[in-house]
């Protein structure tokens, strides 16, 4: 009897693995390599404006969209690199001539299950993938990179936005040199 159960479970696992291998893979935008990251030109600025996360292909729930936005704002401020972090739609003073705009485009999202993660610890992961672009005051793209956030084992699904916001702030911190503070 137990041998039948083992064979049944093994058969189910093989069928699931075969089905997953047969799904067409969506082409993902390419991430920057370590060499490209080191050669990125530095931006000298004290001001950054974070645009609301956009998504053309992915249906991202509002709570994730808002959490990404607020946590990116918070994490950029915590870097200590910026005198002011502006919100989307906020008009900076006329004397601010070194404003960098940060655009966030969501291209991948899989909402997992906190309950499944607690029960199995191998299923139910939440993944968020975005493309960030930093555009300087002259309209030149200074950074374009894929960044991701995940909840792999324990925690609520929105915790993936914490991971994502830290990764975005880290990428921006690497290319920004504090201006004239």
């Amino acid at each position: 009897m137990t041998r039948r159960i083992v064979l049944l479970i093994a058969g189910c696992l093989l069928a699931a693995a075969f089905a997953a291998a047969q799904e067409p893979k969506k082409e993902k935008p390419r991430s920057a390599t370590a060499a490209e990251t080191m050669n990125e030109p530095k931006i000298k600025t004290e001001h950054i404006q974070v645009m609301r996360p956009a998504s053309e292909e992915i249906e991202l729930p509002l709570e994730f969209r808002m959490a990404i936005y607020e946590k990116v704002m918070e994490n950029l401020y915590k870097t200590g690199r910026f005198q002011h972090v502006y919100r989307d739609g906020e008009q900076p003073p006329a004397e601010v001539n070194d404003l960098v705009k940060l655009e966030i485009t969501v291209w991948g999202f899989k909402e997992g299950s906190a309950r499944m993660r607690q029960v199995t610890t191998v299923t139910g992961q939440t993944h968020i993938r975005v493309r960030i672009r930093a555009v300087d005051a002259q309209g030149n793209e200074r950074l374009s990179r894929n960044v991701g956030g995940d909840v792999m084992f324990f925690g609520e699904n929105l915790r993936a936005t914490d991971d994502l916001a830290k990764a975005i702030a880290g990428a921006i911190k690497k290319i920004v040199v504090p201006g004239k503070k």
Side-chain angles (χ1 to χ4, degrees):
M1 179 75 163
T2 49
R3 183 177 176 160
R4 283 185 177 171
I5 293 173
V6 170
L7 288 174
L8 181 63
I9 292 172
C12 289
L13 289 174
L14 282 172
F18 182 73
Q22 296 300 317
E23 289 182 17
K25 299 292 182 192
K26 188 176 181 183
E27 183 148 337
K28 300 173 186 169
R30 190 178 67 83
S31 296
T33 64
E36 289 171 337
T37 303
M38 292 182 70
N39 294 330
E40 287 174 342
K42 302 293 183 191
I43 303 172
K44 190 170 189 174
T45 186
E46 296 179 319
H47 309 279
I48 190 165
Q49 185 171 30
V50 180
M51 311 310 281
R52 287 186 191 103
S55 177
E56 298 164 3
E57 308 167 2
I58 304 297
E59 190 67 35
L60 186 67
L62 183 61
E63 63 268 17
F64 281 88
R65 190 179 305 268
M66 294 308 299
I68 291 168
Y69 184 66
E70 293 300 327
K71 290 175 181 179
V72 167
M73 296 280 298
E74 179 184 333
N75 278 283
L76 286 173
Y77 183 75
K78 284 181 182 178
T79 65
R81 300 280 171 113
F82 303 103
Q83 185 178 32
H84 194 82
V85 179
Y86 294 95
R87 293 182 170 277
D88 190 358
E90 191 174 354
Q91 193 64 36
E95 61 269 4
V96 174
N97 56 4
D98 62 346
L99 182 69
V100 171
K101 289 188 179 184
L102 176 64
E103 299 170 357
I104 304 168
T105 305
V106 180
W107 61 266
F109 174 69
K110 177 187 170 258
E111 186 170 7
S113 168
R115 180 173 287 163
M116 288 298 292
R117 285 191 298 274
Q118 289 175 348
V119 172
T120 66
T121 68
V122 294
T123 62
Q125 297 93 356
T126 297
H127 307 284
I128 305 171
R129 300 294 178 260
V130 301
R131 184 79 180 168
I132 58 171
R133 287 183 64 230
V135 180
D136 65 17
Q138 291 74 35
N140 301 319
E141 184 179 272
R142 303 299 295 269
L143 172 71
S144 182
R145 180 177 307 156
N146 291 334
V147 182
D150 305 299
V151 178
M152 300 298 284
F153 299 110
F154 298 105
E156 292 301 316
N157 289 333
L158 281 175
R159 201 179 86 202
T161 60
D162 292 329
D163 192 31
L164 178 65
K166 287 176 188 172
I168 291 172
I172 295 297
K173 187 177 179 180
K174 288 179 184 176
I175 67 159
V176 170
V177 176
K180 52 185 185 306
K181 275 195 172 179

